[in-house]
């Protein structure tokens, strides 16, 4: 298979250049994932738009991190786990939350654990959650709005995680200190959904 190009502002298709310029301004450089997505201007614009919308969700930064990292682990996306670990540190997310995500563990906080399990349920069952699973999520203090926000975040992470798998996206230098390997790929989803 031909390798994907990691575009720069100069090499990207003209319609993708504004997205790369925004990324360079936000991160100080164009992240490799954004450079790859720039091959299809619609893809890079869609990914950035979804990312901005996810940040506007009703989730707290910690809850958003739980959803992102749960999906990154579920999809075994080494690039996104490193990137979102860097973002979590920037957002001053509690180190215990970060480490639980990276170790693919369960949260002691019942609300965060309900969010993790429901996110895995939706991802693993492709949205076909049972009524009792939805009820458990709502009983943990979440809302139907949150259900749709999890789905929106799944859409964002499918774009990045699948792209990184196909492109074998190298981890940027800025994320490299948070490199990650899944301790037991795909096992946690089956256990959480069954549990």
């Amino acid at each position: 298979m031909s390798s994907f190009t990691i575009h720069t502002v100069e090499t990207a298709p003209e319609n993708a250049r504004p997205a790369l310029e925004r990324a360079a301004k936000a991160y100080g450089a164009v992240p490799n994932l954004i450079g790859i997505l720039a091959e299809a201007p619609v893809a890079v614009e869609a990914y950035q738009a979804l990312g901005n919308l996810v940040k506007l969700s009703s989730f707290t930064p910690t809850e958003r991190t739980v959803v992102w990292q749960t999906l990154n682990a579920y999809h075994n996306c080494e690039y996104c786990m490193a990137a979102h670990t860097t973002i979590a540190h920037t957002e001053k997310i509690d180190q215990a939350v970060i480490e639980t995500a990276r170790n693919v563990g369960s949260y002691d906080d019942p609300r965060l654990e309900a969010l993790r399990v429901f996110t895995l349920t939706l991802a693993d069952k492709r949205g076909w959650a049972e009524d009792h699973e939805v009820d458990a999520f709502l009983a943990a203090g979440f809302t139907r709005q949150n259900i749709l926000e999890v789905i929106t975040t799944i859409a964002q992470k499918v774009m990045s995680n699948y792209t990184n798998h196909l492109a074998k996206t190298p981890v940027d230098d800025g994320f490299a200190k948070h490199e990650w390997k899944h301790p037991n790929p795909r096992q946690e989803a089956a256990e959480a959904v069954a549990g």
Side-chain angles (χ1 to χ4, degrees):
M1 181 176 75
S2 298
S3 60
F4 284 78
T5 300
I6 303 174
H7 284 286
T8 64
V9 173
E10 294 74 28
T11 67
E14 187 174 344
N15 291 349
R17 290 177 185 166
L20 271 67
E21 289 167 351
R22 287 191 301 270
K25 185 176 180 182
Y27 297 102
V30 176
N32 290 336
L33 169 63
I34 301 297
I36 289 168
L37 286 170
E39 185 74 26
V42 68
V44 72
E45 289 289 350
Y47 181 71
Q48 285 186 339
L50 273 174
N52 289 334
L53 290 170
V54 167
K55 290 177 187 173
L56 293 175
S57 74
S58 64
F59 288 129
T60 66
T62 295
E63 291 167 344
R64 189 175 62 234
T65 296
V66 169
V67 178
W68 273 336
Q69 295 291 55
T70 297
L71 293 165
N72 292 334
Y74 176 76
H75 291 134
N76 195 9
C77 186
E78 296 171 4
Y79 180 94
C80 282
M81 185 63 82
H84 281 286
T85 299
T86 303
I87 292 167
H89 282 288
T90 301
E91 293 185 333
K92 305 205 181 324
I93 303 300
D94 186 276
Q95 187 63 31
V97 171
I98 295 170
E99 288 306 313
T100 298
R102 290 176 61 84
N103 293 324
V104 195
S106 300
Y107 292 97
D108 293 333
D109 181 307
R111 182 176 167 88
L112 295 182
E113 181 60 9
L115 180 57
R116 183 187 77 87
V117 169
F118 188 71
T119 299
L120 283 173
T121 298
L122 286 183
D124 198 58
K125 294 186 173 185
R126 308 302 185 258
W128 294 103
E130 303 288 338
D131 287 347
H132 70 90
E133 293 166 325
V134 173
D135 290 343
F137 185 64
L138 297 173
F142 291 101
T143 66
R144 285 171 181 78
Q145 175 182 338
N146 296 137
I147 292 171
L148 298 174
E149 290 170 342
V150 170
I151 293 169
T152 303
T153 310
I154 290 171
Q156 181 205 14
K157 290 285 79 194
V158 164
M159 287 191 73
S160 60
N161 295 163
Y162 287 17
T163 298
N164 290 325
H165 292 336
L166 286 169
K168 299 175 178 56
T169 310
V171 174
D172 301 82
D173 291 344
F175 307 146
K177 70 178 179 179
H178 300 297
E179 281 187 311
W180 175 83
K181 296 283 186 201
H182 198 297
N184 197 355
R186 301 302 295 260
Q187 180 180 352
E188 85 289 345
E191 290 175 354
V193 171

